[in-house]
Amino acid sequence: AQQAGAMSRSEFLKAIRALSARYVERRGLLTDRSPIDSAGKRAAFAGFYAPLHLITAQGVLRELGGVPQVDTVVDAGCGTGVAGAAWALTAPRRPAILGIDLSAWALDVARAAWRDLDLRGRAVRGDAVRELDRLARRTSGRDASGRLGVILGWSLNELDASARGRALAALQTLAERGTPILALEPIRSEEHTSELQS
């Protein structure tokens, strides 16, 4: 993938604007077309938005007073892995990270980021909603004892309504079992706000 360092400043800024437009002005395309479908957008995502998301997630976690101590944090729809990294870096004792994403490119970036941050992580290509379903169906008490946490960083908003409904149902089940969960999402409408609050 083309990295930000291989681009001129104007090319990089153009890529950031293009990626931002995909998320804001053409957000309806997200369920049908990857927002990182070009080398420029991937560079913008890794070189601009990923660090911004890491700083934001760490700030939220600090404002919440830190995170519960878990052995493993599942970063569902992990992208570049920064939400899971923020949890691990904020925790008093660093948990392992299990990142789930459909993008092989993003998983490679997540692995490299976790290595650079000296974090233990495993990035697996897969469907985040399916993984949440699997965790919700699991009958063992491992997550009930507080040894498993779940974080979603800017991933629920990219799902279509059906998949988001399944994800929220699985998260509800996990929360009722005592699994610590943090979802970081932009709030776009009253309808979406009520979904996240229910």
Side-chain angles (χ1 to χ4, degrees):
Q2 184 176 7
Q3 297 302 311
M7 304 173 78
S8 70
R9 185 174 189 273
S10 63
E11 288 172 328
F12 187 55
L13 291 174
K14 183 178 177 183
I16 292 170
R17 285 192 295 273
L19 185 57
S20 178
R22 176 67 59 83
Y23 276 103
V24 177
E25 297 161 20
R26 293 187 293 279
R27 114 167 269 88
L29 299 174
L30 289 176
T31 57
D32 300 320
R33 186 172 169 196
S34 171
I36 51 172
D37 58 1
S38 70
K41 291 188 189 87
R42 288 189 292 273
F45 197 86
F48 180 77
Y49 286 104
L52 185 62
H53 286 168
L54 176 65
I55 292 165
T56 301
Q58 285 183 296
V60 168
L61 288 162
R62 287 189 185 111
E63 284 296 314
L64 291 173
V67 294
Q69 189 61 60
V70 297
D71 292 334
T72 302
V73 59
V74 176
D75 191 342
C78 69
T80 57
V82 296
W87 183 309
L89 291 169
T90 307
R93 185 171 44 84
R94 293 180 174 181
I97 305 166
L98 172 60
I100 312 290
D101 203 279
L102 290 171
S103 168
W105 170 82
L107 293 170
D108 286 342
V109 174
R111 290 181 192 105
W114 297 336
R115 254 191 326 271
D116 290 346
L117 295 168
D118 198 27
L119 299 172
R120 293 176 297 127
R122 187 167 61 95
V124 178
R125 191 167 188 186
D127 183 287
V129 177
R130 192 169 294 137
E131 177 63 14
L132 291 172
D133 283 340
R134 188 188 71 75
L135 290 174
R137 287 193 311 269
R138 200 165 69 177
T139 56
S140 84
R142 182 168 180 241
D143 54 321
S145 66
R147 300 172 67 84
L148 180 76
V150 176
I151 192 164
L152 301 101
W154 300 274
S155 54
L156 283 173
N157 66 320
E158 293 187 19
L159 300 173
D160 64 32
S162 172
R164 189 168 55 245
R166 283 178 45 221
L168 292 172
L171 292 170
Q172 180 76 33
T173 298
L174 290 166
E176 288 168 359
R177 269 192 229 155
T179 302
I181 298 167
L182 177 62
L184 301 162
E185 297 295 334
I187 303 299
R188 298 185 319 273
S189 68
E190 289 180 20
E191 176 187 340
H192 193 58
T193 301
S194 65
E195 273 183 19
L196 290 174
Q197 289 174 343
S198 61

